[in-house]
Amino acid sequence: MDVASLQSFNPSPLLSSSNSVSIHRPAVILPGLGNNTGDYQSLKQTLNDKYGVSAVVAKVSRLDWLRNAAGLVDPNYWRGSLQPRPVLDWYLKRVEEAVEEAKESTNGSESVSLIGHSAGGWLARVYMEEFGSSDISLLLTLGTPHLPPPKGVQGVIDQTRGLLYYVQDNCSKAVYTPQLKYVCVAGRFIKGCRFFGNSDTEPAVSSADSSQIVSESSVNGSSSAPNATTLRARFVGQGYKQVCGEADVWGDGVVPEVSAHLEGALNIFLDGVYHSPVGADDASRPWYGSPQVLEQWVQHLLN
Protein backbone atom coordinates (compact mmCIF):
# COMPACT_ATOMS: atom_id res chain seq x y z
CA MET A 1 0.00 0.00 0.00
CA ASP A 2 1.61 3.21 -1.15
CA VAL A 3 0.93 6.86 -0.53
CA ALA A 4 2.51 9.13 -3.14
CA SER A 5 2.64 12.01 -0.71
CA LEU A 6 0.86 13.29 2.37
CA GLN A 7 -0.65 16.66 3.07
CA SER A 8 0.31 18.06 6.43
CA PHE A 9 -1.90 16.72 9.19
CA ASN A 10 -2.84 19.50 11.56
CA PRO A 11 -4.80 18.14 14.49
CA SER A 12 -5.76 20.58 17.15
CA PRO A 13 -3.45 19.98 20.09
CA LEU A 14 -5.04 17.41 22.32
CA LEU A 15 -2.95 18.40 25.28
CA SER A 16 -1.13 21.59 26.07
CA SER A 17 0.53 20.67 29.32
CA SER A 18 3.07 18.04 30.26
CA ASN A 19 0.99 17.47 33.38
CA SER A 20 -1.91 16.14 31.33
CA VAL A 21 -2.77 12.47 31.26
CA SER A 22 -2.03 10.45 28.13
CA ILE A 23 -5.16 9.39 26.25
CA HIS A 24 -3.57 7.27 23.52
CA ARG A 25 -1.67 4.00 23.54
CA PRO A 26 1.95 4.55 24.58
CA ALA A 27 4.83 4.57 22.13
CA VAL A 28 8.36 3.22 22.35
CA ILE A 29 11.05 5.03 20.35
CA LEU A 30 13.91 2.82 19.17
CA PRO A 31 17.20 4.64 18.42
CA GLY A 32 19.07 4.13 15.19
CA LEU A 33 22.64 2.96 14.79
CA GLY A 34 25.03 5.32 16.56
CA ASN A 35 22.24 7.33 18.18
CA ASN A 36 21.50 7.52 21.88
CA THR A 37 18.45 8.06 24.05
CA GLY A 38 19.07 11.79 24.35
CA ASP A 39 18.79 12.33 20.61
CA TYR A 40 15.04 11.68 20.82
CA GLN A 41 14.09 13.71 23.89
CA SER A 42 12.55 16.53 21.87
CA LEU A 43 10.43 14.06 19.89
CA LYS A 44 9.37 12.33 23.09
CA GLN A 45 8.39 15.62 24.71
CA THR A 46 6.37 16.80 21.72
CA LEU A 47 4.48 13.53 21.50
CA ASN A 48 3.53 13.79 25.15
CA ASP A 49 2.82 17.51 25.44
CA LYS A 50 1.10 18.22 22.13
CA TYR A 51 -0.49 14.93 21.16
CA GLY A 52 -1.09 13.07 24.41
CA VAL A 53 1.11 10.12 23.51
CA SER A 54 3.20 8.85 26.41
CA ALA A 55 6.54 7.90 24.89
CA VAL A 56 9.52 5.98 26.20
CA VAL A 57 12.89 5.97 24.48
CA ALA A 58 14.84 2.72 24.72
CA LYS A 59 17.92 3.27 26.88
CA VAL A 60 20.87 3.26 24.49
CA SER A 61 24.18 5.11 24.69
CA ARG A 62 26.60 5.69 21.83
CA LEU A 63 29.15 3.44 23.51
CA ASP A 64 26.59 0.63 23.60
CA TRP A 65 26.94 0.24 19.86
CA LEU A 66 30.52 -0.93 20.36
CA ARG A 67 28.98 -4.16 21.69
CA ASN A 68 28.29 -5.05 18.06
CA ALA A 69 32.02 -5.60 17.63
CA ALA A 70 31.39 -9.00 19.21
CA GLY A 71 30.19 -10.06 15.79
CA LEU A 72 33.74 -9.83 14.47
CA VAL A 73 34.63 -13.11 16.20
CA ASP A 74 31.67 -14.86 14.58
CA PRO A 75 32.71 -16.66 11.35
CA ASN A 76 29.31 -15.76 9.91
CA TYR A 77 30.34 -12.10 9.97
CA TRP A 78 33.09 -12.79 7.46
CA ARG A 79 30.82 -15.02 5.39
CA GLY A 80 28.19 -12.30 5.23
CA SER A 81 25.61 -14.48 6.98
CA LEU A 82 25.53 -12.88 10.43
CA GLN A 83 22.37 -13.35 12.52
CA PRO A 84 20.94 -10.82 15.00
CA ARG A 85 21.33 -13.06 18.00
CA PRO A 86 23.37 -13.16 20.11
CA VAL A 87 25.22 -10.08 18.78
CA LEU A 88 22.22 -7.77 19.21
CA ASP A 89 20.71 -9.36 22.32
CA TRP A 90 21.70 -6.28 24.31
CA TYR A 91 19.53 -4.04 22.09
CA LEU A 92 16.57 -6.43 22.10
CA LYS A 93 16.71 -6.47 25.89
CA ARG A 94 16.52 -2.66 25.96
CA VAL A 95 13.47 -2.80 23.70
CA GLU A 96 11.80 -5.31 26.00
CA GLU A 97 12.47 -3.10 29.02
CA ALA A 98 11.16 -0.02 27.23
CA VAL A 99 7.95 -1.79 26.18
CA GLU A 100 7.27 -2.82 29.78
CA GLU A 101 8.01 0.70 31.00
CA ALA A 102 5.61 2.15 28.44
CA LYS A 103 2.83 -0.18 29.53
CA GLU A 104 3.35 0.66 33.18
CA SER A 105 3.35 4.39 32.45
CA THR A 106 -0.22 4.15 31.17
CA ASN A 107 -1.58 1.90 33.91
CA GLY A 108 -1.07 -1.36 32.11
CA SER A 109 -1.92 -0.55 28.49
CA GLU A 110 -2.50 -3.74 26.52
CA SER A 111 -0.72 -2.54 23.41
CA VAL A 112 2.00 -0.12 22.35
CA SER A 113 3.27 1.52 19.19
CA LEU A 114 6.88 1.01 18.16
CA ILE A 115 8.63 3.91 16.43
CA GLY A 116 11.85 2.63 14.90
CA HIS A 117 14.31 5.17 13.56
CA SER A 118 16.84 3.93 11.00
CA ALA A 119 18.23 0.57 12.15
CA GLY A 120 15.78 0.71 15.04
CA GLY A 121 13.07 -0.14 12.52
CA TRP A 122 14.44 -3.47 11.39
CA LEU A 123 15.59 -4.24 14.93
CA ALA A 124 11.94 -3.75 15.93
CA ARG A 125 11.02 -6.46 13.44
CA VAL A 126 13.56 -8.79 15.00
CA TYR A 127 12.15 -7.98 18.44
CA MET A 128 8.61 -8.75 17.29
CA GLU A 129 9.74 -12.05 15.81
CA GLU A 130 11.72 -13.14 18.86
CA PHE A 131 9.59 -11.73 21.69
CA GLY A 132 6.16 -11.78 20.06
CA SER A 133 3.95 -9.05 18.63
CA SER A 134 0.67 -9.63 20.45
CA ASP A 135 1.14 -6.39 22.39
CA ILE A 136 2.24 -4.35 19.36
CA SER A 137 -0.49 -2.48 17.45
CA LEU A 138 1.74 -0.40 15.20
CA LEU A 139 5.26 -0.49 13.85
CA LEU A 140 6.12 2.88 12.37
CA THR A 141 9.57 3.18 10.86
CA LEU A 142 11.44 6.38 10.02
CA GLY A 143 14.17 6.14 7.41
CA THR A 144 14.77 2.45 8.05
CA PRO A 145 16.89 0.48 5.55
CA HIS A 146 14.54 -2.51 5.46
CA LEU A 147 15.86 -4.21 2.35
CA PRO A 148 19.27 -5.85 1.99
CA PRO A 149 21.50 -4.61 -0.82
CA PRO A 150 21.28 -6.56 -4.08
CA LYS A 151 23.88 -9.25 -4.54
CA GLY A 152 26.34 -9.20 -7.39
CA VAL A 153 26.55 -5.42 -7.84
CA GLN A 154 30.12 -4.29 -8.34
CA GLY A 155 31.41 -2.13 -5.50
CA VAL A 156 28.52 -2.93 -3.15
CA ILE A 157 29.33 -4.53 0.21
CA ASP A 158 26.62 -5.55 2.65
CA GLN A 159 27.42 -3.33 5.61
CA THR A 160 25.17 -5.39 7.89
CA ARG A 161 27.15 -8.54 7.07
CA GLY A 162 23.99 -10.55 6.44
CA LEU A 163 21.70 -9.12 9.11
CA LEU A 164 19.22 -7.58 6.66
CA TYR A 165 19.12 -10.79 4.63
CA TYR A 166 18.23 -12.60 7.83
CA VAL A 167 15.46 -10.10 8.59
CA GLN A 168 14.08 -10.39 5.07
CA ASP A 169 14.05 -14.19 5.17
CA ASN A 170 13.03 -14.84 8.77
CA CYS A 171 10.89 -11.96 10.07
CA SER A 172 7.16 -11.69 9.49
CA LYS A 173 6.08 -9.81 6.39
CA ALA A 174 4.63 -6.34 6.71
CA VAL A 175 0.85 -6.04 7.04
CA TYR A 176 -1.71 -3.31 7.39
CA THR A 177 -4.64 -4.76 9.30
CA PRO A 178 -6.91 -3.62 12.14
CA GLN A 179 -4.82 -5.69 14.56
CA LEU A 180 -1.35 -4.70 13.39
CA LYS A 181 -0.20 -1.92 11.11
CA TYR A 182 3.16 -1.33 9.49
CA VAL A 183 3.79 2.26 8.39
CA CYS A 184 7.09 3.02 6.65
CA VAL A 185 8.12 6.66 6.24
CA ALA A 186 10.90 7.62 3.84
CA GLY A 187 12.44 11.05 3.38
CA ARG A 188 13.36 12.79 0.13
CA PHE A 189 16.07 15.19 1.16
CA ILE A 190 18.61 14.87 -1.64
CA LYS A 191 18.99 12.85 -4.80
CA GLY A 192 22.33 11.13 -5.15
CA CYS A 193 24.33 10.77 -8.31
CA ARG A 194 27.08 8.53 -9.58
CA PHE A 195 30.61 9.41 -8.59
CA PHE A 196 31.71 9.04 -12.20
CA GLY A 197 29.46 9.60 -15.18
CA ASN A 198 27.14 12.25 -16.53
CA SER A 199 26.66 14.44 -13.47
CA ASP A 200 27.36 17.89 -14.87
CA THR A 201 24.02 19.33 -13.87
CA GLU A 202 23.12 20.29 -10.36
CA PRO A 203 21.33 17.37 -8.66
CA ALA A 204 17.98 17.91 -7.03
CA VAL A 205 17.44 18.85 -3.41
CA SER A 206 13.90 18.30 -2.20
CA SER A 207 12.17 20.81 0.01
CA ALA A 208 8.78 22.24 0.75
CA ASP A 209 9.80 25.57 -0.77
CA SER A 210 12.70 27.27 -2.54
CA SER A 211 14.00 28.82 0.66
CA GLN A 212 15.05 25.37 1.87
CA ILE A 213 17.03 24.81 -1.33
CA VAL A 214 19.07 27.88 -0.42
CA SER A 215 19.43 26.60 3.12
CA GLU A 216 20.70 23.26 1.82
CA SER A 217 23.44 25.06 -0.08
CA SER A 218 24.45 27.01 3.01
CA VAL A 219 24.61 23.80 5.04
CA ASN A 220 27.25 22.58 2.62
CA GLY A 221 29.35 25.56 3.67
CA SER A 222 29.69 27.08 0.23
CA SER A 223 28.13 29.94 -1.66
CA SER A 224 28.83 28.08 -4.92
CA ALA A 225 25.70 25.97 -4.75
CA PRO A 226 25.99 23.93 -8.00
CA ASN A 227 29.56 22.72 -7.38
CA ALA A 228 29.10 22.14 -3.64
CA THR A 229 25.80 20.36 -4.05
CA THR A 230 27.09 18.23 -6.92
CA LEU A 231 30.05 17.04 -4.85
CA ARG A 232 27.75 16.34 -1.91
CA ALA A 233 25.35 14.40 -4.14
CA ARG A 234 28.20 12.27 -5.45
CA PHE A 235 29.24 11.24 -1.95
CA VAL A 236 25.62 10.75 -0.84
CA GLY A 237 25.05 8.65 -3.95
CA GLN A 238 27.89 6.32 -2.98
CA GLY A 239 26.20 5.81 0.38
CA TYR A 240 22.89 5.09 -1.32
CA LYS A 241 24.58 2.61 -3.61
CA GLN A 242 25.86 0.58 -0.64
CA VAL A 243 22.28 0.31 0.61
CA CYS A 244 20.24 -0.29 -2.55
CA GLY A 245 22.75 -0.86 -5.34
CA GLU A 246 22.06 2.46 -7.10
CA ALA A 247 23.51 5.93 -6.62
CA ASP A 248 21.16 8.18 -8.60
CA VAL A 249 18.08 7.77 -6.41
CA TRP A 250 16.21 9.90 -3.90
CA GLY A 251 16.76 9.47 -0.20
CA ASP A 252 17.06 11.22 3.15
CA GLY A 253 20.80 11.71 2.84
CA VAL A 254 21.62 8.30 4.31
CA VAL A 255 18.90 5.80 3.38
CA PRO A 256 17.42 5.70 -0.14
CA GLU A 257 13.65 5.88 -0.41
CA VAL A 258 13.38 2.53 -2.18
CA SER A 259 15.03 0.76 0.76
CA ALA A 260 12.82 2.39 3.40
CA HIS A 261 9.55 0.90 2.15
CA LEU A 262 8.10 -2.58 2.62
CA GLU A 263 5.64 -4.52 0.53
CA GLY A 264 2.40 -4.86 2.48
CA ALA A 265 2.97 -1.75 4.61
CA LEU A 266 1.49 1.71 4.29
CA ASN A 267 4.42 3.41 2.57
CA ILE A 268 4.84 7.17 2.73
CA PHE A 269 7.47 9.58 1.44
CA LEU A 270 7.96 13.09 2.73
CA ASP A 271 9.78 15.83 0.84
CA GLY A 272 12.63 17.76 2.41
CA VAL A 273 13.21 15.38 5.32
CA TYR A 274 16.72 14.60 6.56
CA HIS A 275 17.71 11.27 8.08
CA SER A 276 18.98 11.91 11.60
CA PRO A 277 18.35 14.12 14.62
CA VAL A 278 22.13 14.56 14.76
CA GLY A 279 22.97 17.39 12.40
CA ALA A 280 19.32 18.30 11.87
CA ASP A 281 17.83 21.76 12.17
CA ASP A 282 14.08 22.25 12.42
CA ALA A 283 14.20 25.30 10.13
CA SER A 284 16.64 24.40 7.35
CA ARG A 285 17.29 20.66 7.72
CA PRO A 286 14.28 19.05 9.45
CA TRP A 287 14.45 15.37 10.32
CA TYR A 288 11.61 12.89 10.81
CA GLY A 289 11.05 14.03 14.39
CA SER A 290 11.00 17.79 13.76
CA PRO A 291 7.62 19.29 14.72
CA GLN A 292 6.54 20.18 11.17
CA VAL A 293 7.44 16.68 9.96
CA LEU A 294 6.00 14.87 12.97
CA GLU A 295 2.58 16.36 12.28
CA GLN A 296 2.58 14.56 8.92
CA TRP A 297 2.77 11.08 10.43
CA VAL A 298 1.59 11.42 14.02
CA GLN A 299 -2.01 10.54 13.09
CA HIS A 300 -0.98 6.90 12.87
CA LEU A 301 -0.21 6.96 16.61
CA LEU A 302 -3.56 8.54 17.41
CA ASN A 303 -5.83 6.10 15.57
Side-chain angles (χ1 to χ4, degrees):
M1 182 182 299
D2 292 304
V3 173
S5 63
L6 281 185
Q7 297 297 321
S8 293
F9 177 74
N10 293 299
S12 58
L14 297 172
L15 299 176
S16 59
S17 170
S18 59
N19 295 323
S20 300
V21 177
S22 173
I23 61 174
H24 298 289
R25 65 175 176 266
V28 174
I29 302 171
L30 307 182
L33 178 66
N35 290 110
N36 66 17
T37 303
D39 294 335
Y40 304 90
Q41 289 307 304
S42 179
L43 171 59
K44 171 185 173 180
Q45 198 70 36
T46 303
L47 285 172
N48 183 74
D49 294 353
K50 185 174 182 179
Y51 299 105
V53 176
S54 176
V56 173
V57 185
K59 293 179 173 59
V60 175
S61 71
R62 298 198 204 286
L63 289 177
D64 279 328
W65 293 104
L66 295 178
R67 297 168 183 261
N68 294 357
L72 294 172
V73 301
D74 187 334
N76 289 314
Y77 176 92
W78 304 102
R79 299 189 190 108
S81 57
L82 190 64
Q83 297 186 11
R85 308 191 71 175
V87 176
L88 289 164
D89 277 352
W90 69 270
Y91 190 98
L92 300 177
K93 181 65 175 176
R94 306 292 175 84
V95 178
E96 182 183 36
E97 293 169 351
V99 168
E100 291 306 311
E101 181 182 345
K103 289 180 180 179
E104 293 173 3
S105 71
T106 52
N107 298 318
S109 174
E110 294 183 357
S111 67
V112 304
S113 300
L114 297 182
I115 304 172
H117 170 237
S118 197
W122 62 260
L123 282 163
R125 297 178 65 194
V126 175
Y127 169 81
M128 292 165 66
E129 196 67 31
E130 295 292 322
F131 291 76
S133 59
S134 61
D135 55 355
I136 308 299
S137 297
L138 169 72
L139 170 58
L140 189 148
T141 64
L142 306 171
T144 290
H146 285 292
L147 307 179
K151 295 181 179 179
V153 178
Q154 185 176 7
V156 174
I157 300 174
D158 176 17
Q159 298 175 67
T160 71
R161 306 309 300 149
L163 290 172
L164 284 179
Y165 287 103
Y166 177 92
V167 172
Q168 179 175 257
D169 295 340
N170 294 278
C171 291
S172 298
K173 304 305 179 184
V175 296
Y176 193 83
T177 67
Q179 295 75 32
L180 176 61
K181 294 178 172 63
Y182 283 64
V183 177
C184 302
V185 183
R188 284 185 173 183
F189 185 73
I190 183 171
K191 185 177 181 180
C193 64
R194 290 170 292 172
F195 207 82
F196 301 102
N198 296 325
S199 301
D200 295 329
T201 59
E202 181 182 355
V205 176
S206 176
S207 63
D209 55 51
S210 60
S211 65
Q212 286 192 344
I213 295 178
V214 175
S215 297
E216 167 61 13
S217 300
S218 66
V219 168
N220 290 324
S222 172
S223 58
S224 178
N227 291 336
T229 309
T230 299
L231 181 60
R232 175 184 172 83
R234 291 181 192 276
F235 281 103
V236 168
Q238 293 313 296
Y240 289 166
K241 183 177 179 180
Q242 294 303 312
V243 180
C244 73
E246 298 181 53
D248 49 352
V249 296
W250 278 100
D252 61 14
V254 175
V255 175
E257 178 186 354
V258 65
S259 299
H261 287 164
L262 280 173
E263 182 179 353
L266 174 63
N267 293 314
I268 300 165
F269 73 78
L270 300 176
D271 284 326
V273 178
Y274 179 63
H275 180 75
S276 176
V278 178
D281 179 271
D282 289 345
S284 62
R285 191 199 287 252
W287 83 287
Y288 295 99
S290 294
Q292 69 271 39
V293 180
L294 170 60
E295 68 179 15
Q296 297 183 69
W297 55 262
V298 72
Q299 68 266 34
H300 300 288
L301 301 178
L302 309 180
N303 295 336

